[in-house]
Amino acid sequence: MKHKGLLIVISGFSGAGKGTLVKKLTGEYEDYALSISMTTRDPRPGEEHGREYFFAEKEEFEEKIAKDGFIEYAGYCGNYYGTPKDYVLSMLEQGKNVILEIEIQGAMKVKEKFPEAVLLFVMTPSVGELKSRLIGRGTESEEVILKRLSRAAEEAVGIEDYDYVIVNDDLDTCVKELHELMKKSCEGIQESHHPSHYKELIENCRAELNALAKGEK
Ligand code: 5GP
C-alpha cells in the first residue's frame, strides 16, 4: 500500500505564534503542505486572498457547507472558519504531511474523522506573553482582543485532548523541535510532549486566562 502523509492539526491560543511557526516550518522543510482555510472574517492588513485564507461572504461559506466541501468548520468569535476538503485529501494521497492550523472544535472534529491525525497545541511560556503578543500585533481592537482572550480561556479546558504540547518560546528552536517531533510521530506517539508533562503551565494559563476573561486583571 502507498504510504500516505501524516495529518497534523495545530491549535493554540490566538497570539501564541502558530501562524509564524507554521509558515517557518513549511518554508524550511519540503515534507509539509499547509491547508488554506476559508473564513468569513475580514482580511487583516497584508493578508492576501488565497495565501493566508480564502476570504468569503457568509452565503458562499454556507453554500460550501451544503455541498459537503469542508473536512470541518467552526464558528470563532463571530465568524466561520473551515478546512476545504479537496486540497487536504489530495496532498495526503501524495504522501505530504498536511498541516491544519485550526481551533479546538475543528480539531476535535478532525480527530473523530481521522483518528490517525496528530493533534498539537502551541502554548506561550506565560499568559502575559500571550497578551503582549496579541496587543503587539496591533491588528485587533481592544474588544476583539478581549473576545479572543475569553475564547482562549474556554479553549484551555481542552488541551489534554491533544496528543502534544509545544511551547513557543524561541521561534527557531520551536520549529526544529516541531519537525523532530513530527518525524518521530510517524513511528508512534511520542510521550515526551504529552500534555501531562505540562500540567503546571496548563493550570497556570487556565487560572490567568479565567481571571482575564472575567475582567479581574
Ligand atoms: P485568525 O482570525 O486569528 O486568523 O484565526 C482565528 C482562529 O481560527 C485560530 O485559532 C485559527 O487557528 C482558527 N482557524 C483558522 N482556520 C480554521 C479552519 O479552517 N477551521 C477551524 N475550525 N478553525 C480555523
PDB file of all heavy atoms in Angstrom, residues 12 14 18 37 41 44 53 72-74 76 81-83 101-103 106 137 148, ligand 1:
ATOM      1  N   GLY A  12      -3.827  26.492  19.109  1.00  0.00           N
ATOM      2  CA  GLY A  12      -3.149  27.267  20.148  1.00  0.00           C
ATOM      3  C   GLY A  12      -3.902  28.551  20.319  1.00  0.00           C
ATOM      4  O   GLY A  12      -4.694  28.915  19.449  1.00  0.00           O
ATOM      5  N   SER A  14      -4.984  32.361  20.337  1.00  0.00           N
ATOM      6  CA  SER A  14      -4.727  33.479  19.436  1.00  0.00           C
ATOM      7  C   SER A  14      -3.550  34.263  20.016  1.00  0.00           C
ATOM      8  O   SER A  14      -3.543  34.598  21.204  1.00  0.00           O
ATOM      9  CB  SER A  14      -5.991  34.343  19.396  1.00  0.00           C
ATOM     10  OG  SER A  14      -5.822  35.397  18.519  1.00  0.00           O
ATOM     11  N   LYS A  18       1.260  30.583  16.339  1.00  0.00           N
ATOM     12  CA  LYS A  18       1.173  29.368  15.499  1.00  0.00           C
ATOM     13  C   LYS A  18       1.329  29.687  14.031  1.00  0.00           C
ATOM     14  O   LYS A  18       1.927  28.922  13.285  1.00  0.00           O
ATOM     15  CB  LYS A  18      -0.143  28.582  15.630  1.00  0.00           C
ATOM     16  CG  LYS A  18      -1.050  28.953  16.692  1.00  0.00           C
ATOM     17  CD  LYS A  18      -2.383  28.328  16.549  1.00  0.00           C
ATOM     18  CE  LYS A  18      -3.386  29.307  16.303  1.00  0.00           C
ATOM     19  NZ  LYS A  18      -4.109  30.243  16.739  1.00  0.00           N
ATOM     20  N   SER A  37      -7.401  27.727   4.827  1.00  0.00           N
ATOM     21  CA  SER A  37      -8.796  27.689   5.249  1.00  0.00           C
ATOM     22  C   SER A  37      -9.625  28.746   4.553  1.00  0.00           C
ATOM     23  O   SER A  37      -9.097  29.705   3.988  1.00  0.00           O
ATOM     24  CB  SER A  37      -8.874  27.946   6.753  1.00  0.00           C
ATOM     25  OG  SER A  37      -8.232  26.926   7.450  1.00  0.00           O
ATOM     26  N   ARG A  41     -14.150  36.094   8.152  1.00  0.00           N
ATOM     27  CA  ARG A  41     -13.647  37.318   8.797  1.00  0.00           C
ATOM     28  C   ARG A  41     -12.960  38.207   7.759  1.00  0.00           C
ATOM     29  O   ARG A  41     -12.541  37.744   6.699  1.00  0.00           O
ATOM     30  CB  ARG A  41     -12.739  36.996   9.982  1.00  0.00           C
ATOM     31  CG  ARG A  41     -11.294  36.783   9.670  1.00  0.00           C
ATOM     32  CD  ARG A  41     -10.398  37.248  10.825  1.00  0.00           C
ATOM     33  NE  ARG A  41      -9.074  36.636  10.827  1.00  0.00           N
ATOM     34  CZ  ARG A  41      -8.095  36.946   9.987  1.00  0.00           C
ATOM     35  NH1 ARG A  41      -8.276  37.824   9.004  1.00  0.00           N
ATOM     36  NH2 ARG A  41      -6.917  36.355  10.099  1.00  0.00           N
ATOM     37  N   ARG A  44      -6.848  40.929   7.445  1.00  0.00           N
ATOM     38  CA  ARG A  44      -6.030  41.913   8.187  1.00  0.00           C
ATOM     39  C   ARG A  44      -5.123  42.583   7.172  1.00  0.00           C
ATOM     40  O   ARG A  44      -4.851  41.999   6.106  1.00  0.00           O
ATOM     41  CB  ARG A  44      -5.144  41.187   9.206  1.00  0.00           C
ATOM     42  CG  ARG A  44      -5.912  40.560  10.319  1.00  0.00           C
ATOM     43  CD  ARG A  44      -4.957  39.996  11.390  1.00  0.00           C
ATOM     44  NE  ARG A  44      -5.715  39.288  12.389  1.00  0.00           N
ATOM     45  CZ  ARG A  44      -5.491  38.034  12.778  1.00  0.00           C
ATOM     46  NH1 ARG A  44      -4.493  37.349  12.270  1.00  0.00           N
ATOM     47  NH2 ARG A  44      -6.246  37.471  13.686  1.00  0.00           N
ATOM     48  N   TYR A  53      -5.787  33.043   3.763  1.00  0.00           N
ATOM     49  CA  TYR A  53      -7.118  32.430   3.787  1.00  0.00           C
ATOM     50  C   TYR A  53      -7.775  32.618   2.426  1.00  0.00           C
ATOM     51  O   TYR A  53      -7.373  33.486   1.643  1.00  0.00           O
ATOM     52  CB  TYR A  53      -8.036  33.177   4.786  1.00  0.00           C
ATOM     53  CG  TYR A  53      -7.823  32.847   6.236  1.00  0.00           C
ATOM     54  CD1 TYR A  53      -7.172  33.753   7.084  1.00  0.00           C
ATOM     55  CD2 TYR A  53      -8.301  31.667   6.782  1.00  0.00           C
ATOM     56  CE1 TYR A  53      -6.990  33.466   8.437  1.00  0.00           C
ATOM     57  CE2 TYR A  53      -8.121  31.374   8.127  1.00  0.00           C
ATOM     58  CZ  TYR A  53      -7.467  32.269   8.949  1.00  0.00           C
ATOM     59  OH  TYR A  53      -7.293  31.986  10.276  1.00  0.00           O
ATOM     60  N   GLU A  72     -13.973  20.036   8.064  1.00  0.00           N
ATOM     61  CA  GLU A  72     -14.564  20.537   9.312  1.00  0.00           C
ATOM     62  C   GLU A  72     -14.755  22.019   9.154  1.00  0.00           C
ATOM     63  O   GLU A  72     -14.111  22.651   8.328  1.00  0.00           O
ATOM     64  CB  GLU A  72     -13.657  20.223  10.511  1.00  0.00           C
ATOM     65  CG  GLU A  72     -12.265  20.881  10.475  1.00  0.00           C
ATOM     66  CD  GLU A  72     -12.273  22.381  10.682  1.00  0.00           C
ATOM     67  OE1 GLU A  72     -13.064  22.860  11.511  1.00  0.00           O
ATOM     68  OE2 GLU A  72     -11.493  23.082  10.006  1.00  0.00           O
ATOM     69  N   TYR A  73     -15.641  22.578   9.951  1.00  0.00           N
ATOM     70  CA  TYR A  73     -15.751  24.040  10.045  1.00  0.00           C
ATOM     71  C   TYR A  73     -16.256  24.376  11.430  1.00  0.00           C
ATOM     72  O   TYR A  73     -16.800  23.508  12.129  1.00  0.00           O
ATOM     73  CB  TYR A  73     -16.672  24.612   8.951  1.00  0.00           C
ATOM     74  CG  TYR A  73     -18.114  24.227   9.115  1.00  0.00           C
ATOM     75  CD1 TYR A  73     -19.001  25.040   9.828  1.00  0.00           C
ATOM     76  CD2 TYR A  73     -18.588  23.038   8.584  1.00  0.00           C
ATOM     77  CE1 TYR A  73     -20.323  24.657  10.002  1.00  0.00           C
ATOM     78  CE2 TYR A  73     -19.900  22.651   8.751  1.00  0.00           C
ATOM     79  CZ  TYR A  73     -20.762  23.463   9.470  1.00  0.00           C
ATOM     80  OH  TYR A  73     -22.059  23.082   9.649  1.00  0.00           O
ATOM     81  N   ALA A  74     -16.042  25.629  11.835  1.00  0.00           N
ATOM     82  CA  ALA A  74     -16.468  26.030  13.173  1.00  0.00           C
ATOM     83  C   ALA A  74     -16.729  27.524  13.197  1.00  0.00           C
ATOM     84  O   ALA A  74     -16.281  28.260  12.304  1.00  0.00           O
ATOM     85  CB  ALA A  74     -15.371  25.680  14.181  1.00  0.00           C
ATOM     86  N   TYR A  76     -15.982  30.990  15.222  1.00  0.00           N
ATOM     87  CA  TYR A  76     -14.966  31.505  16.155  1.00  0.00           C
ATOM     88  C   TYR A  76     -15.110  33.018  16.228  1.00  0.00           C
ATOM     89  O   TYR A  76     -14.952  33.689  15.210  1.00  0.00           O
ATOM     90  CB  TYR A  76     -13.567  31.119  15.665  1.00  0.00           C
ATOM     91  CG  TYR A  76     -12.434  31.618  16.522  1.00  0.00           C
ATOM     92  CD1 TYR A  76     -11.890  30.827  17.528  1.00  0.00           C
ATOM     93  CD2 TYR A  76     -11.900  32.895  16.334  1.00  0.00           C
ATOM     94  CE1 TYR A  76     -10.850  31.282  18.318  1.00  0.00           C
ATOM     95  CE2 TYR A  76     -10.861  33.362  17.115  1.00  0.00           C
ATOM     96  CZ  TYR A  76     -10.333  32.551  18.102  1.00  0.00           C
ATOM     97  OH  TYR A  76      -9.304  33.014  18.880  1.00  0.00           O
ATOM     98  N   TYR A  81     -14.982  29.574  10.078  1.00  0.00           N
ATOM     99  CA  TYR A  81     -13.679  29.142   9.569  1.00  0.00           C
ATOM    100  C   TYR A  81     -13.824  27.678   9.165  1.00  0.00           C
ATOM    101  O   TYR A  81     -14.411  26.895   9.920  1.00  0.00           O
ATOM    102  CB  TYR A  81     -12.601  29.209  10.663  1.00  0.00           C
ATOM    103  CG  TYR A  81     -12.233  30.593  11.131  1.00  0.00           C
ATOM    104  CD1 TYR A  81     -13.033  31.285  12.039  1.00  0.00           C
ATOM    105  CD2 TYR A  81     -11.066  31.202  10.694  1.00  0.00           C
ATOM    106  CE1 TYR A  81     -12.677  32.551  12.496  1.00  0.00           C
ATOM    107  CE2 TYR A  81     -10.699  32.468  11.146  1.00  0.00           C
ATOM    108  CZ  TYR A  81     -11.509  33.136  12.044  1.00  0.00           C
ATOM    109  OH  TYR A  81     -11.145  34.383  12.490  1.00  0.00           O
ATOM    110  N   GLY A  82     -13.282  27.280   8.018  1.00  0.00           N
ATOM    111  CA  GLY A  82     -13.401  25.879   7.620  1.00  0.00           C
ATOM    112  C   GLY A  82     -12.242  25.402   6.766  1.00  0.00           C
ATOM    113  O   GLY A  82     -11.557  26.189   6.107  1.00  0.00           O
ATOM    114  N   THR A  83     -12.022  24.084   6.792  1.00  0.00           N
ATOM    115  CA  THR A  83     -10.941  23.459   6.020  1.00  0.00           C
ATOM    116  C   THR A  83     -11.495  22.828   4.746  1.00  0.00           C
ATOM    117  O   THR A  83     -12.198  21.827   4.827  1.00  0.00           O
ATOM    118  CB  THR A  83     -10.273  22.328   6.854  1.00  0.00           C
ATOM    119  OG1 THR A  83      -9.892  22.856   8.121  1.00  0.00           O
ATOM    120  CG2 THR A  83      -9.075  21.748   6.139  1.00  0.00           C
ATOM    121  N   GLU A 101      -4.071  24.469  10.539  1.00  0.00           N
ATOM    122  CA  GLU A 101      -3.906  25.360  11.683  1.00  0.00           C
ATOM    123  C   GLU A 101      -5.304  25.831  12.060  1.00  0.00           C
ATOM    124  O   GLU A 101      -5.840  26.771  11.476  1.00  0.00           O
ATOM    125  CB  GLU A 101      -3.001  26.525  11.259  1.00  0.00           C
ATOM    126  CG  GLU A 101      -2.495  27.328  12.405  1.00  0.00           C
ATOM    127  CD  GLU A 101      -2.790  28.791  12.242  1.00  0.00           C
ATOM    128  OE1 GLU A 101      -2.256  29.416  11.306  1.00  0.00           O
ATOM    129  OE2 GLU A 101      -3.569  29.306  13.056  1.00  0.00           O
ATOM    130  N   ILE A 102      -5.927  25.136  13.012  1.00  0.00           N
ATOM    131  CA  ILE A 102      -7.346  25.360  13.288  1.00  0.00           C
ATOM    132  C   ILE A 102      -7.628  25.417  14.785  1.00  0.00           C
ATOM    133  O   ILE A 102      -6.793  25.003  15.598  1.00  0.00           O
ATOM    134  CB  ILE A 102      -8.236  24.275  12.634  1.00  0.00           C
ATOM    135  CG1 ILE A 102      -7.924  22.903  13.197  1.00  0.00           C
ATOM    136  CG2 ILE A 102      -8.036  24.268  11.125  1.00  0.00           C
ATOM    137  CD1 ILE A 102      -8.771  21.786  12.593  1.00  0.00           C
ATOM    138  N   GLU A 103      -8.809  25.917  15.149  1.00  0.00           N
ATOM    139  CA  GLU A 103      -9.139  25.998  16.572  1.00  0.00           C
ATOM    140  C   GLU A 103      -9.669  24.651  17.087  1.00  0.00           C
ATOM    141  O   GLU A 103      -9.776  23.678  16.349  1.00  0.00           O
ATOM    142  CB  GLU A 103     -10.042  27.208  16.872  1.00  0.00           C
ATOM    143  CG  GLU A 103     -11.303  27.300  16.080  1.00  0.00           C
ATOM    144  CD  GLU A 103     -12.243  26.181  16.386  1.00  0.00           C
ATOM    145  OE1 GLU A 103     -12.800  26.177  17.495  1.00  0.00           O
ATOM    146  OE2 GLU A 103     -12.425  25.306  15.511  1.00  0.00           O
ATOM    147  N   GLY A 106     -12.798  22.449  15.716  1.00  0.00           N
ATOM    148  CA  GLY A 106     -12.437  21.844  14.436  1.00  0.00           C
ATOM    149  C   GLY A 106     -11.461  20.690  14.660  1.00  0.00           C
ATOM    150  O   GLY A 106     -11.568  19.639  14.030  1.00  0.00           O
ATOM    151  N   ARG A 137       0.638  42.839  18.115  1.00  0.00           N
ATOM    152  CA  ARG A 137       0.299  42.605  16.718  1.00  0.00           C
ATOM    153  C   ARG A 137      -0.401  43.839  16.143  1.00  0.00           C
ATOM    154  O   ARG A 137      -0.277  44.119  14.958  1.00  0.00           O
ATOM    155  CB  ARG A 137      -0.621  41.370  16.665  1.00  0.00           C
ATOM    156  CG  ARG A 137      -0.903  40.849  15.332  1.00  0.00           C
ATOM    157  CD  ARG A 137      -1.191  39.356  15.393  1.00  0.00           C
ATOM    158  NE  ARG A 137      -2.549  39.078  15.826  1.00  0.00           N
ATOM    159  CZ  ARG A 137      -3.026  37.845  15.985  1.00  0.00           C
ATOM    160  NH1 ARG A 137      -2.260  36.804  15.803  1.00  0.00           N
ATOM    161  NH2 ARG A 137      -4.263  37.656  16.353  1.00  0.00           N
ATOM    162  N   ARG A 148     -11.004  37.314  22.190  1.00  0.00           N
ATOM    163  CA  ARG A 148     -10.061  36.238  21.890  1.00  0.00           C
ATOM    164  C   ARG A 148      -9.457  35.652  23.167  1.00  0.00           C
ATOM    165  O   ARG A 148      -9.232  34.457  23.263  1.00  0.00           O
ATOM    166  CB  ARG A 148      -8.976  36.730  20.926  1.00  0.00           C
ATOM    167  CG  ARG A 148      -9.502  36.808  19.500  1.00  0.00           C
ATOM    168  CD  ARG A 148      -8.550  37.432  18.526  1.00  0.00           C
ATOM    169  NE  ARG A 148      -9.129  37.365  17.192  1.00  0.00           N
ATOM    170  CZ  ARG A 148      -8.719  36.542  16.225  1.00  0.00           C
ATOM    171  NH1 ARG A 148      -7.710  35.741  16.422  1.00  0.00           N
ATOM    172  NH2 ARG A 148      -9.322  36.528  15.060  1.00  0.00           N
TER     173      ARG A 148
HETATM  174  P1  5GP B   1      -7.464  34.173  12.977  1.00  0.00           P
HETATM  175  O1  5GP B   1      -8.690  35.012  12.816  1.00  0.00           O
HETATM  176  O2  5GP B   1      -6.595  34.659  14.115  1.00  0.00           O
HETATM  177  O3  5GP B   1      -6.705  34.007  11.691  1.00  0.00           O
HETATM  178  O4  5GP B   1      -7.957  32.705  13.382  1.00  0.00           O
HETATM  179  C1  5GP B   1      -8.798  32.526  14.474  1.00  0.00           C
HETATM  180  C2  5GP B   1      -8.819  31.071  14.879  1.00  0.00           C
HETATM  181  O5  5GP B   1      -9.437  30.288  13.853  1.00  0.00           O
HETATM  182  C3  5GP B   1      -7.436  30.487  15.106  1.00  0.00           C
HETATM  183  O6  5GP B   1      -7.478  29.727  16.307  1.00  0.00           O
HETATM  184  C4  5GP B   1      -7.228  29.615  13.896  1.00  0.00           C
HETATM  185  O7  5GP B   1      -6.384  28.520  14.191  1.00  0.00           O
HETATM  186  C5  5GP B   1      -8.651  29.140  13.630  1.00  0.00           C
HETATM  187  N1  5GP B   1      -8.869  28.652  12.264  1.00  0.00           N
HETATM  188  C6  5GP B   1      -8.292  29.066  11.118  1.00  0.00           C
HETATM  189  N2  5GP B   1      -8.742  28.352  10.076  1.00  0.00           N
HETATM  190  C7  5GP B   1      -9.619  27.437  10.581  1.00  0.00           C
HETATM  191  C8  5GP B   1     -10.393  26.379   9.995  1.00  0.00           C
HETATM  192  O8  5GP B   1     -10.372  26.102   8.807  1.00  0.00           O
HETATM  193  N3  5GP B   1     -11.194  25.675  10.834  1.00  0.00           N
HETATM  194  C9  5GP B   1     -11.249  25.908  12.166  1.00  0.00           C
HETATM  195  N4  5GP B   1     -12.045  25.135  12.906  1.00  0.00           N
HETATM  196  N5  5GP B   1     -10.527  26.891  12.738  1.00  0.00           N
HETATM  197  C10 5GP B   1      -9.714  27.638  11.967  1.00  0.00           C
END
